[in-house]
């Protein structure tokens, strides 16, 4: 039968339960969030004369945790209004509500007996065909379902979210022997298409896939650190981005996760595996157990492997010396291989440079890596059926850039296996057999298709139409034209895509040149154009380094030319005769936002952080951003005859002057960066496909470019209103003199210069005023200082 989830219930409102409830609300699913009834009154409840029988008291725990969602950072909700979709309930009065829901997620404490009791309690209220799942980080799903009915068991499985549920992509789905295959398939598709997750099917083994490998890897790092005499800081300086792992590396990650949580996960594996050697690996060393006992469990306790202290020179982060259990100045590992690896562009080259080095960094990374790779290979078949699932779990759950088997390919399978065997390591037989057959890679790519090793033979990785790979399309010869900064790619069905690939995807002359070529090519031969890429961020703005260099040289004609080119590019997007759809994701700042705003439509990833942030470097938007924000606000008003222009200009000024950046695509709607007719893709892997469908939809509807329009400006009177507000901030010490100067320029542009209020102006007039203001700010020494500071420090300077 077909399944559909219209309403859900989450049992347990702690950090994880509330996070899952929040994400369900993010995607528009109403959710009941349950917790236990309090056993005693708070002082405040007593003062109010409440009793334990009052509903507000009985729902207190769930309601308090619901309210906490509004204050947490990073925000668990796309938009604070989504909290209205979450209803606080308790497990004594409200169980009847479970009869309304299509999915019940149990997220109570990680104890088998408690989970069994909760499942027994909710079973009588489960409606026919409602799915029930447990969110557990490692307890046996089969064991907790003992005693439940056959109908319950057919609809029961594990759904292991990673914390925080909004941000971490991995969802491990763990069926039992009795789970209906249709339920498993539905939950996989629901996880991907509705929740936006990367779903892997895991086996019902201790800690499943990601926590099993990840926890083992962390224990190995601790072991190798102690054996090699490395410090906590030295280890973190090697086990982060240098080898394709997150910036938080090892011990900073443990501090964020919480050493108590990690100890629980490690203990769970140790108690549930039978191999004594494996059990030993998962035993916490004495110093870590001592940390747990003392409450030094990480960020939530104020100290863990690192501790922030205030000194004479400001705040300083100290590291734990695990030999003395005292905090000491943080150290970094300085090794030749680390320096050499920084010069390598490709991650595989970076890792090879370090892993085969004979210095201290090389020895540490090799000793860690060989053990993790061998363990991953040894667990294939036990924790997952294929290497792809293991690799994806580690990338989506732990933020690794490469999974274990991808990493093994990167360092060279034959070379590494030979070294492992020389060092007396036991390499799994299936790898020896594979190598004996002449198969020297776990993955092979041929003509844009990926194959992985499975039972000694290569098998193609499942391809899905919703997941368009630009790398694969390039390998298939689909590039129409390219230069150093951008490529135009045929993505099929008569749609082309303009991809940025300059450093940091910064917009420069190469990208602008390719945009004009793309629009001409699309006008002749295609249905429309997508502007998108699959980099780390969509675009962090224009080429600031080039702009600063020209400003320092006082090359004003060149800057004027650059800004005109940028403005002409954004106007070309707006008036393209074929539909242009921008597909932003992650950081979409400054010029990146300016490339999106004039598009016929935006199809944004849910995690899109969009904003015009130029004031942070002493400038204002120069590529038409001011004009586009004004136009969007003006177009959003249905009654143009009675519009309050000043209110719209005030909104535009506030958005740009405060450099507001959305924390999600939903919030970008509030800033008018994204309109009602624009789309949001919850699963970023489907973003390019969704944008392509938007192009085809517009083309089929007979898309016509918008007609140029004139808009009224508020002129000098409106500017006086804006500057009065800015002056008040300046007098109150909230902004500097230079901030006020930038505000003057921005007000001048948004108000249409010194014209009388109500004057109708065209877009080119607004662009000319914008360009003049932008150029004048480029000549300000304090603006140049801000640009320099941003380029060197990566954060804004307040001067």
């Amino acid at each position: 039968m077909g399944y559909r989830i219209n309403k859900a219930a989450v049992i347990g409102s702690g950090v994880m339960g509330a996070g899952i409830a929040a994400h369900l609300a993010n995607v528009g699913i109403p959710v009941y969030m349950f917790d236990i009834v309090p056993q005693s009154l708070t002082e405040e409840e007593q003062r109010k004369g409440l009793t334990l029988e009052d509903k507000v008291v009985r729902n207190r725990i769930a309601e308090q945790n619901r309210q906490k969602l509004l204050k947490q950072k990073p925000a668990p909700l796309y938009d604070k209004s989504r909290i209205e979709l979450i209803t606080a309930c308790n497990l004594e009065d409200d169980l009847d509500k479970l009869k309304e829901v299509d999915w019940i997620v149990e997220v109570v404490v990680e104890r088998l007996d408690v989970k069994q009791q909760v499942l027994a309690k909710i079973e009588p209220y489960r409606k026919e065909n409602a799915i029930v799942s447990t969110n557990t980080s490692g307890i046996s799903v089969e064991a907790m379902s003992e005693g439940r009915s056959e109908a319950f068991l057919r609809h029961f499985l594990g759904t292991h979210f990673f914390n925080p549920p909004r941000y971490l992509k991995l969802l491990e789905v763990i069926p039992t022997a009795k789970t209906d295959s249709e339920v498993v398939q539905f939950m996989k598709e629901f996880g991907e298409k509705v929740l936006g997750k990367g779903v892997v099917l895991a086996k019902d083994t201790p800690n499943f896939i990601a926590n099993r490998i990840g926890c083992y890897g962390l224990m190995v790092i601790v072991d190798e650190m102690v054996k090699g005499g490395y410090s906590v800081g030295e280890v973190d300086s090697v086990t982060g981005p240098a080898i394709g792992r997150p910036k938080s590396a090892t011990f900073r990650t443990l501090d964020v996760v919480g050493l108590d949580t990690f100890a629980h996960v490690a203990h769970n594996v140790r108690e549930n595996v039978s191999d004594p050697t494996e059990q030993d690996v998962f035993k916490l060393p004495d110093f870590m157990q001592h940390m747990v006992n003392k409450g030094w469990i990480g960020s939530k306790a104020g100290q863990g492997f690192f501790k922030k202290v205030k000194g004479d020179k400001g705040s300083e982060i100290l590291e734990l010396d695990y030999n003395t259990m005292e905090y000491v100045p943080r150290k970094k590992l300085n090794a030749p291989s680390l320096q050499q690896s920084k010069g390598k562009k490709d991650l595989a080259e970076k890792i090879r440079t370090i892993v085969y080095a004979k210095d201290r960094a090389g020895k540490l990374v090799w000793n860690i890596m060989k053990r993790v790779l061998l363990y991953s290979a040894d667990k294939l078949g036990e924790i997952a059926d294929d290497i792809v699932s293991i690799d994806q779990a580690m990338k989506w759950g732990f933020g690794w850039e490469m999974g274990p088997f991808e990493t093994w390919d990167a360092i060279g399978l034959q070379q590494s296996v030979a070294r492992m065997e020389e060092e007396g390591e036991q390499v799994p037989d299936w790898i020896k057999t594979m190598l004996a057959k002449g198969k020297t890679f776990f993955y092979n790519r041929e003509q844009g298709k990926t194959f992985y090793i499975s039972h000694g033979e290569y098998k193609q990785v499942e391809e899905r139409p919703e997941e368009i790979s630009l790398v694969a399309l390039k390998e298939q010869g689909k590039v129409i034209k390219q230069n150093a900064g951008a490529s135009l790619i045929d993505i099929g069905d008569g749609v082309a895509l303009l991809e940025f690939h300059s450093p940091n995807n910064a917009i420069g002359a190469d990208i602008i040149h390719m945009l004009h070529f793309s629009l001409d090519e699309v006008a002749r031969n295609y249905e429309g154009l997508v502007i998108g890429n699959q980099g780390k961020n969509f675009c962090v703005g224009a080429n600031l380094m080039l702009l600063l260099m020209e400003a320092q040289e006082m090359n004003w004609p060149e800057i004027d030319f650059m800004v005109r080119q940028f403005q002409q590019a954004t106007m070309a997007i707006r008036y393209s005769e074929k539909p242009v759809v921008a597909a932003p994701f992650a950081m979409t700042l400054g010029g990146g936002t300016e490339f999106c705003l004039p598009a016929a439509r935006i199809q944004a990833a849910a995690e899109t952080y969009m904003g015009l942030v130029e004031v942070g470097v002493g400038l204002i938007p120069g590529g038409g951003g001011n004009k586009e924000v004004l136009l969007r606000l003006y177009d959003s008003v249905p009654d143009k005859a009675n519009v309050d222009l000043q209110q719209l200009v005030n909104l535009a000024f506030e958005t740009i002057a405060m450099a507001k950046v959305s924390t999600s695509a939903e919030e970008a709607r509030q800033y008018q960066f994204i309109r009602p007719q624009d789309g949001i893709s919850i699963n970023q892997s489907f973003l390019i496909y969704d944008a392509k469908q938007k192009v085809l939809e517009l083309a089929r509807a007979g898309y016509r470019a918008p007609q140029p329009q004139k808009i009224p400006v508020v002129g000098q009177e409106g500017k006086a209103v804006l500057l009065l507000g800015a002056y008040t901030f300046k007098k109150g010490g909230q902004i500097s003199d230079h901030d006020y100067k930038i505000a003057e320029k921005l007000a001048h542009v948004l108000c249409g210069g010194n014209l009388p209020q109500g004057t109708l102006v065209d877009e080119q007039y607004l662009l000319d005023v914008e360009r003049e203001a932008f150029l004048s700010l480029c000549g300000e020494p304090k603006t140049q200082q801000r640009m320099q500071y941003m380029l060197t420090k990566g954060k804004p300077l307040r001067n």
Side-chain angles (χ1 to χ4, degrees):
M1 66 161 292
Y3 291 92
R4 184 175 172 83
I5 294 170
N6 295 313
K7 189 179 282 189
V10 173
I11 314 296
S13 69
V15 172
M16 202 67 197
I20 292 170
H23 194 56
L24 287 166
N26 283 337
V27 299
I29 295 174
V31 55
Y32 292 124
M33 186 168 73
F34 287 77
D35 216 304
I36 59 172
V37 173
Q39 299 299 302
S40 60
L41 294 170
T42 64
E43 288 183 13
E44 186 181 355
E45 287 167 344
Q46 288 173 352
R47 282 197 303 271
K48 289 180 178 178
L50 296 171
T51 72
L52 288 172
E53 298 308 309
D54 285 304
K55 188 70 171 174
V56 68
V57 175
R58 295 175 74 78
N59 283 353
R60 185 220 308 149
I61 295 173
E63 180 58 31
Q64 283 181 340
N65 288 332
R66 175 179 173 269
Q67 291 300 324
K68 283 180 185 175
L69 292 170
L70 297 172
K71 298 174 184 173
Q72 284 176 21
K73 289 188 178 181
L77 294 161
Y78 287 159
D79 175 68
K80 287 184 177 179
S81 66
R82 292 296 170 108
I83 200 166
E84 298 305 321
L85 289 170
I86 304 172
T87 304
C89 301
N90 72 71
L91 281 164
E92 290 182 23
D93 308 327
D94 302 315
L95 287 170
D96 265 356
K97 287 184 166 61
L98 295 178
K99 295 175 181 177
E100 303 172 28
V101 308
D102 309 294
W103 180 26
I104 302 168
V105 195
E106 170 275 304
V107 201
V108 300
V109 65
E110 285 283 270
R111 272 180 45 188
L112 177 60
D113 58 336
V114 177
K115 287 182 179 287
Q116 287 173 329
Q117 289 164 20
V118 168
L119 294 178
K121 190 168 190 173
I122 66 178
E123 179 170 11
Y125 299 91
R126 184 190 77 89
K127 74 177 182 182
E128 187 182 4
N129 294 315
I131 295 167
V132 182
S133 70
T134 174
N135 181 80
T136 173
S137 58
I139 295 175
S140 169
V141 180
E142 194 94 44
M144 71 176 75
S145 67
E146 285 176 11
R148 306 279 58 79
S149 69
E150 284 298 315
F152 186 100
L153 294 174
R154 287 199 304 275
H155 295 85
F156 180 68
L157 70 169
T159 49
H160 180 209
F161 288 83
F162 277 63
N163 193 30
R166 169 183 163 181
Y167 297 96
L168 284 187
K169 191 175 175 74
L170 180 61
L171 174 62
E172 290 177 323
V173 169
I174 310 103
T176 72
K178 294 189 176 176
T179 312
D180 270 357
S181 58
E182 198 176 339
V183 170
V184 177
Q185 186 58 31
F186 169 77
M187 287 306 293
K188 184 175 186 295
E189 290 184 11
F190 174 80
E192 291 169 343
K193 293 180 179 177
V194 179
L195 300 179
K197 297 297 173 190
V199 178
V200 295
L201 294 181
K203 298 200 173 186
D204 191 10
T205 55
N207 289 34
F208 314 125
I209 302 174
N211 275 345
R212 183 76 170 270
I213 303 289
C215 186
Y216 179 86
L218 285 164
M219 296 304 292
V220 162
I221 289 172
V222 172
D223 185 45
E224 294 296 338
M225 172 181 76
V226 173
K227 286 197 298 194
Y230 297 86
S231 79
V232 163
E234 284 180 324
V235 170
D236 265 16
S237 62
V238 181
T239 57
I243 58 170
R245 306 284 173 83
K247 279 185 181 177
S248 54
T250 302
F251 295 107
R252 181 75 189 103
T253 298
L254 278 173
D255 274 357
V256 171
V257 169
L259 189 53
D260 53 339
T261 303
F262 176 74
H264 172 79
V265 173
H267 178 75
N268 188 58
V269 181
R270 191 159 181 259
E271 291 295 303
N272 290 286
V273 296
S274 54
D275 180 1
T277 306
E278 188 175 1
Q279 286 177 336
D280 285 346
V281 174
F282 287 95
K283 183 180 185 297
L284 282 192
D286 291 341
F287 81 89
M288 285 175 73
Q289 189 59 57
H290 185 60
M291 289 172 71
V292 174
N293 296 342
K294 288 179 76 74
W296 297 0
I297 55 174
S299 304
K300 57 190 173 187
Q303 65 187 102
F305 289 100
F306 296 99
K307 182 180 181 181
K308 193 173 186 178
V309 296
K310 287 186 178 177
D312 298 337
K313 298 178 181 177
S315 294
E316 182 187 6
I317 295 175
L318 303 178
E319 66 175 62
L320 181 71
D321 181 332
Y322 53 87
N323 292 307
T324 64
M325 297 306 287
E326 293 178 352
Y327 288 93
V328 297
R330 192 162 46 165
K331 293 182 208 162
K332 285 192 175 181
L333 183 57
N334 293 312
S337 63
L338 284 174
Q339 294 304 315
Q340 290 163 19
S341 73
K342 288 176 183 175
K344 310 292 183 185
K345 289 185 178 180
D346 180 59
L347 177 59
E349 284 185 72
K350 287 178 188 286
I351 297 173
R352 280 197 300 273
T353 301
I354 299 170
V355 82
Y356 291 120
K358 300 300 183 188
D359 57 25
R360 289 188 78 222
K363 288 174 186 174
L364 177 63
V365 171
W366 169 255
N367 287 337
I368 292 166
M369 201 166 275
K370 74 171 177 181
R371 291 176 66 179
V372 173
L373 299 182
L374 288 168
Y375 186 75
S376 302
D378 190 52
K379 295 303 160 196
L380 179 65
E382 179 185 333
I383 61 174
D385 283 329
D386 55 73
I387 64 170
V388 179
S389 295
I390 294 175
D391 279 347
Q392 288 177 331
M394 297 317 298
K395 290 190 288 185
W396 292 337
F398 277 73
W400 294 12
E401 285 187 55
M402 290 181 176
F405 297 98
E406 291 170 324
T407 302
W408 213 333
D409 275 347
I411 66 171
L413 181 59
Q414 283 178 298
Q415 181 182 356
S416 58
V417 164
R419 181 174 170 184
M420 288 171 186
E421 290 186 322
E422 278 174 23
E423 294 175 1
E425 303 291 349
Q426 186 63 46
V427 176
D429 289 340
W430 70 268
I431 293 181
K432 293 181 186 176
T433 304
M434 170 187 156
L435 287 170
K437 287 183 175 180
K439 294 179 169 62
T440 56
F441 293 95
F442 292 110
Y443 291 94
N444 253 345
R445 287 186 65 81
E446 293 177 18
Q447 298 179 329
K449 297 185 185 302
T450 303
F451 299 83
Y452 67 96
I453 203 77
S454 176
H455 302 290
E457 301 298 330
Y458 286 112
K459 183 177 178 181
Q460 189 178 343
V461 173
E462 179 191 0
E463 286 189 341
R464 304 184 54 181
E466 301 97 336
E467 293 189 84
I468 294 174
S469 165
L470 298 183
V471 170
L473 288 170
K474 288 177 181 179
E475 289 174 355
Q476 292 164 19
K478 300 294 184 180
V479 175
I480 301 162
K481 188 175 181 178
Q482 66 180 19
N483 62 25
S487 296
L488 182 64
I489 304 167
D490 185 335
I491 60 172
D493 299 316
V495 180
L497 177 138
L498 173 63
E499 177 202 28
F500 305 162
H501 46 67
S502 60
N504 297 318
N505 285 353
I507 297 170
D510 285 340
I511 287 177
I512 289 172
H513 176 77
M514 189 58 71
L515 170 75
H516 288 297
F517 172 84
S518 300
L519 292 173
D520 290 343
E521 177 68 16
V522 165
R524 289 193 301 270
N525 299 314
Y526 289 86
E527 297 286 342
L529 178 71
V530 171
I531 300 177
N533 63 76
Q534 291 173 332
K536 184 180 178 183
N537 294 298
F538 175 77
C539 175
V540 295
N543 189 330
L544 190 61
M545 173 67 81
L546 179 62
L547 182 63
L548 176 61
M549 286 166 57
E550 297 295 354
Q552 288 172 336
E553 293 289 325
M554 294 188 288
N555 192 350
W556 311 127
E558 181 60 29
I559 295 176
D560 181 73
F561 176 75
M562 286 162 56
V563 178
R564 282 178 192 272
Q565 291 283 97
F566 205 124
Q567 291 180 341
Q568 287 166 10
T570 56
M571 286 288 275
I573 293 170
R574 171 174 272 279
Y575 292 108
S576 166
E577 64 182 80
K578 296 287 180 70
V580 176
V581 174
F585 62 92
M587 302 301 276
T588 302
L589 304 176
T593 295
E594 288 181 300
F595 254 50
C596 294
L597 295 180
R601 293 287 186 276
I602 291 174
Q603 182 70 34
E607 298 300 338
T608 297
Y609 317 121
M610 204 170 192
L612 296 166
V613 296
E614 286 82 356
V615 295
V617 289
L619 296 167
I620 63 169
N626 306 290
K627 175 219 20 143
E628 287 296 336
V629 170
L630 274 178
L631 277 174
R632 277 166 178 258
L633 288 165
Y634 187 64
D635 288 344
S636 70
V637 178
D639 184 6
K640 300 285 191 291
N642 296 304
V643 64
D644 183 347
L645 278 177
Q646 187 66 54
Q647 185 182 14
L648 297 184
V649 172
N650 291 352
L651 279 171
F653 183 79
E654 184 182 324
T655 299
I656 299 169
M658 294 178 71
K660 288 186 176 181
V661 177
S662 68
T663 59
S664 67
E666 278 296 336
E667 192 174 56
R669 287 196 194 278
Q670 295 176 20
Y671 302 151
Q672 298 287 334
F673 296 143
I674 292 177
R675 303 157 296 186
Q677 63 265 41
D678 294 326
I680 295 175
S681 298
I682 304 297
N683 192 328
Q684 192 175 308
S685 299
F686 300 167
L687 179 61
I688 299 295
Y689 174 84
D690 292 344
K692 174 180 163 181
Q693 298 312 306
K694 190 76 80 175
V695 166
L696 294 171
E697 181 187 309
L698 290 168
R700 283 193 295 267
Y703 177 79
R704 297 183 73 81
Q707 291 299 307
Q709 60 177 312
K710 292 194 172 186
I711 62 169
V713 295
V714 294
Q716 283 182 308
E717 290 179 38
K719 184 161 67 168
V721 173
L722 295 182
L723 291 180
L724 177 61
Y727 183 75
T728 304
F729 275 98
K730 179 184 164 188
K731 291 299 285 182
Q734 292 169 278
I735 63 173
S736 68
D737 288 347
H738 193 55
D739 290 328
Y740 183 76
K741 183 174 283 188
I742 297 163
E744 282 185 304
K745 297 292 184 184
L746 179 59
H748 184 75
V749 172
L750 291 174
C751 297
N754 296 319
L755 298 172
Q757 190 172 53
T759 304
L760 289 171
V761 300
D762 60 21
E763 291 175 68
Q764 191 56 53
Y765 171 81
L766 290 172
L767 289 174
D768 291 342
V769 175
E770 175 183 278
R771 189 174 65 257
E772 182 183 304
F774 185 92
L775 278 163
S776 68
L777 284 169
C778 283
E780 293 285 343
K782 287 191 174 180
T783 285
Q784 293 179 18
Q785 288 168 16
R786 289 189 180 193
M787 294 191 324
Q788 183 77 52
Y789 196 83
M790 178 62 75
L791 287 166
T792 54
K793 305 285 187 179
K795 56 185 178 182
L797 170 69
R798 297 303 303 275
N799 59 353

